[in-house]
Amino acid sequence: MKKAHPRKKVNIRKSPFTLLEVLIAFFLISIAILPLVYTQTFTYQQHKRFIREIDLDRIANLIFVDILERLHKKENISWQDLQSGRVIPIEQEFPHVSGNYYFLTHHAKANEDQTYVVVDYTLKINLQIPDSEKIYSFDFDLLATWNATEVQPPSQDER
Amino acid sequence: MIHKRYTTLLEMLIALGLTTILLTSLLFYYNYVAQLNNKISNLEHATFQQRYLQHRLSDLFTHALPVKDSKHRFFYSTNDPDNIFLNNTQNLVFSYDNGIVLNPPLANEVLGRLYIDRDNNLTLMTWPARDQWEPNGPATAGHKEVLLPQVDSLTFEFLILPKKQKDPPKENEPTNPFPELPTLGWHQDLWKKEYDQIPSAVKIIIRTKPKDELITYAFPIPKSKDIVHFER
């Protein structure tokens, strides 16, 4: 008679997770969440930057009005600055905004008896916000007359 | 024989602790995202309102009409003598070109008043031009336009510059077109009707209510036709 094989005792050892393994898994999950948080923060930063960008229009108007006043009062801006197109830094302090401005000469015309010259200028205001290399340029037209008896009028080709 | 091993209380507690930490961080993240979205939404709303105000005011003052020697055009500010606006704040009355609109009496030359109403709205009220009024007042109801809500105060400053001169100034000729005013420059008092002029530029300073934020707008008025005169 064939002897039956004795049934082998199968020892299934269920391997439990150790605390260290669980902590590692938890740490990995936490790292995976970080990019999600970063995306939201980045979106918020982008929005703030966009708001600063569109506020530049208001700031450019404030600077233009200030320059207009100083031109009339002859404060810190001379006719040489207009003629030479020298780049002048903006003195007014605005949070998160820096920049400069200069004048472009477009057209000059003397009156009949050559006593004064009317010059058409474009005032270019360049503004910049932090963390951005982009320069935002705003143009304003203005007319100036100056006494031509002592000063040579600019040529029409002068730009 | 499979020996079933039961979870111990300690393991259960650790599992619960870790789940709590995980849920807390997830809820924290969810809350953080919700707050950021709320902030972004508020920022967008406030920015677009201010952007609209900037655009609208720029358009208004670009089309402000000169008042000299005209009985039907105005440019003056008052301190609310009848106490009909918010907290006796300043308001500005001015004539401007409204362009083409559907309502004919409010097209082209009209009369506007910029003020804060009692609900803290920065408001523009527009009526037909003064020469179209009947003896008892305007025949057509005015148009009320809320430019910016939640405004607490409104003040104006006016830039006074030398008048346009075709020729260089002659000797003893006054360069100040407003003999009543002390100096050229920014005029912070009320702009009186008697000046019979429009200023070269207007600064509008508003204080918004929720953030108590002071915002300054400046607008040159092209119709004032100021020319910079340089003399060596």
Side-chain angles (χ1 to χ4, degrees), chain A residues 67-74, chain B residues 161-162 226-229:
Chain A
I67 292 171
L68 198 66
E69 182 192 2
R70 286 197 285 134
L71 277 171
H72 279 91
K73 287 183 168 178
K74 318 281 191 295
Chain B
L161 297 176
D226 293 310
I227 285 185
V228 185
H229 180 76

Side-chain angles (χ1 to χ4, degrees), chain B residues 181-217:
Chain B
L181 298 174
T183 51
L184 303 176
W186 285 102
H187 181 70
Q188 294 177 340
D189 294 331
L190 295 175
W191 189 267
K192 295 177 187 169
K193 247 185 214 178
E194 296 82 58
Y195 298 158
D196 198 27
Q197 291 276 350
I198 54 174
S200 303
V202 183
K203 256 188 201 171
I204 298 176
I205 303 150
I206 57 169
R207 189 179 287 282
T208 54
K209 213 177 172 188
K211 286 187 184 172
D212 197 26
E213 190 183 8
L214 203 65
I215 309 171
T216 306
Y217 296 94

Side-chain angles (χ1 to χ4, degrees), chain A residues 1 5 25 29 50 101 106:
Chain A
M1 195 176 151
H5 286 287
I29 290 171
F50 169 68
Y101 63 90
H106 279 305

Side-chain angles (χ1 to χ4, degrees), chain A:
Chain A
M1 195 176 151
K2 206 176 178 182
K3 205 176 178 179
H5 286 287
R7 181 181 274 182
K8 276 188 180 174
K9 191 178 177 182
V10 181
N11 187 12
I12 302 172
R13 186 175 170 272
K14 198 177 179 184
S15 155
F17 290 113
T18 62
L19 181 60
L20 182 67
E21 287 168 340
V22 173
L23 287 176
I24 289 170
F26 185 73
F27 175 69
L28 289 174
I29 290 171
S30 306
I31 289 177
I33 287 175
L34 281 179
L36 294 175
V37 177
Y38 174 75
T39 311
Q40 291 299 322
T41 313
F42 180 73
T43 310
Y44 180 61
Q45 298 291 345
Q46 288 292 99
H47 264 86
K48 283 189 97 169
R49 197 172 132 185
F50 169 68
I51 286 161
R52 279 185 197 144
E53 278 175 11
I54 61 173
D55 197 37
L56 289 178
D57 192 18
R58 180 181 71 84
I59 290 171
N61 261 323
L62 282 170
I63 293 167
F64 171 63
V65 169
D66 177 63
I67 292 171
L68 198 66
E69 182 192 2
R70 286 197 285 134
L71 277 171
H72 279 91
K73 287 183 168 178
K74 318 281 191 295
E75 281 179 1
N76 300 336
I77 306 173
S78 62
W79 66 269
Q80 286 97 337
D81 290 330
L82 272 83
Q83 288 305 109
S84 64
R86 182 171 75 90
V87 178
I88 306 166
I90 288 164
E91 291 172 4
Q92 283 175 293
E93 285 184 9
F94 296 99
H96 311 298
V97 179
S98 59
N100 55 48
Y101 63 90
Y102 59 92
F103 297 90
L104 282 175
T105 310
H106 279 305
H107 183 72
K109 189 180 177 185
N111 65 340
E112 284 178 4
D113 49 358
Q114 301 285 314
T115 51
Y116 71 93
V117 178
V118 180
V119 191
D120 179 11
Y121 293 101
T122 293
L123 168 63
K124 284 191 103 65
I125 300 177
N126 298 319
L127 298 176
Q128 225 174 342
I129 54 174
D131 307 326
S132 170
E133 291 180 359
K134 195 173 173 186
I135 294 171
Y136 301 87
S137 192
F138 298 87
D139 291 2
F140 297 90
D141 290 331
L142 63 93
L143 281 177
T145 64
W146 38 273
N147 195 335
T149 51
E150 296 181 44
V151 183
Q152 286 299 311
S155 68
Q156 299 245 349
D157 301 328
E158 201 165 348
R159 287 273 185 261

